[in-house]
Amino acid sequence: MPSAFITGITGQDGSYLQEMLAGKGYEVHGWPSADCDITEPDMLRVALQQSQPDEIYHLAAQTHVGESAQVEAQTMAVNFQGTKNLLVTAQHETPNAKIFFASSSEIFGRPGEVPQTETTPLNPINPYGVSKARATEAVRAARAAGFYAVNGILYNHESPRRGPNFVTQKICQAAAAIARGEQSELRIGDTSAARDWCDARDVIRGMWLALQADDPDDYIFASGQTHTVQDVIEIAFETAKLDWRSHVEIDKSLFRGTEPRQLVGTPAKARAVLGWELQTSFRELIEEMTQEAEGPQATRAQ
Ligand code: GDP
């Protein structure tokens, strides 16, 4: 029975990955979502010794990017030093384990080319992007030193398990709550903002495929298409059988200060080398998220 160790196992991606691997017959071990333990060599050593993984999926990260120096320091500690720590400890304790690192489109920051590929230069523009860029380079260095280490460069990926403060889930949950009569309007920021969104379950399948290849490499997991926040609104409200024009209020305080950026990835390499194909379209994803939010268990976005 193959064994896997997942950091960030309770997050959106970790929970789906755990279920997928268990379904494939893996023995799955893991640590809960982003906490500083990943920076503790002793704890990590014990966890790897106990689980003896064939595959390590490093998903835990500090994703909250605040203004304060304290948050910046913690972002760097978890996302960069934590990843270095994992690489060094795994190379020592389980040198034959294959390692997948969840890198991010934020490593490209304000990108020099559109769409981005695996060779687009790193140009991060926020602390989260800087921490992920340095960790991505550390993974490449481990690979150059002969270890099986892979960067999955992940663009925005969503699902019914997405946290309520991300814009897709905020919109889908608001549409459902308005349809139930529990909320009257959706206050939203820049509706022209565009992202390359795909389904989280497609992305975690890509993670697994990446570790089944003979040789380690870097792969972009993206749809190759951008949609706007406005597109999300129109699909979600249509699914909830509502006219978005009657319920959506633009709130300037929710606009972000950064310039428009064109983060869109080309999935050509993952498709060619791994046979990775998207199984769910953007429209199907937003429809499903809205329908799930319409269920009785839905929690409301802030
Ligand atoms: P991000 O790519 O990790 O920042 O993912 P988000 O889902 O938080 O945001 C995606 C895009 O939606 C960004 O360009 C935001 O500026 C835009 N956006 C517009 N209105 C909102 C809003 O009310 N909440 C959030 N979270 N994002 C919004």
Side-chain angles (χ1 to χ4, degrees), residues 109-111 113-116 155 194 226 260-265:
R110 199 167 287 125
E113 57 187 10
V114 179
Q116 293 85 51
Y155 285 64
T226 52
R261 294 186 280 148
Q262 280 189 291
L263 288 179
V264 50

Side-chain angles (χ1 to χ4, degrees), residues 126-204:
N126 59 41
Y128 175 79
V130 170
S131 68
K132 285 280 182 176
R134 292 193 63 188
T136 299
E137 286 168 337
V139 169
R140 287 178 179 167
R143 187 164 70 234
F147 292 93
Y148 195 114
V150 168
N151 286 303
I153 303 169
L154 313 182
Y155 285 64
N156 292 44
H157 48 289
E158 319 294 309
S159 75
R161 295 184 193 168
R162 192 59 147 149
N165 292 326
F166 288 91
V167 77
T168 53
Q169 187 71 300
K170 177 178 170 176
I171 293 167
C172 295
Q173 292 190 348
I178 293 168
R180 283 198 300 269
E182 295 171 8
Q183 191 174 323
S184 60
E185 62 171 21
L186 163 66
R187 300 190 75 78
I188 198 82
D190 184 358
T191 55
S192 72
R195 285 285 187 279
D196 180 338
W197 277 293
C198 56
D199 189 306
R201 291 150 291 188
D202 281 330
V203 170
I204 64 119

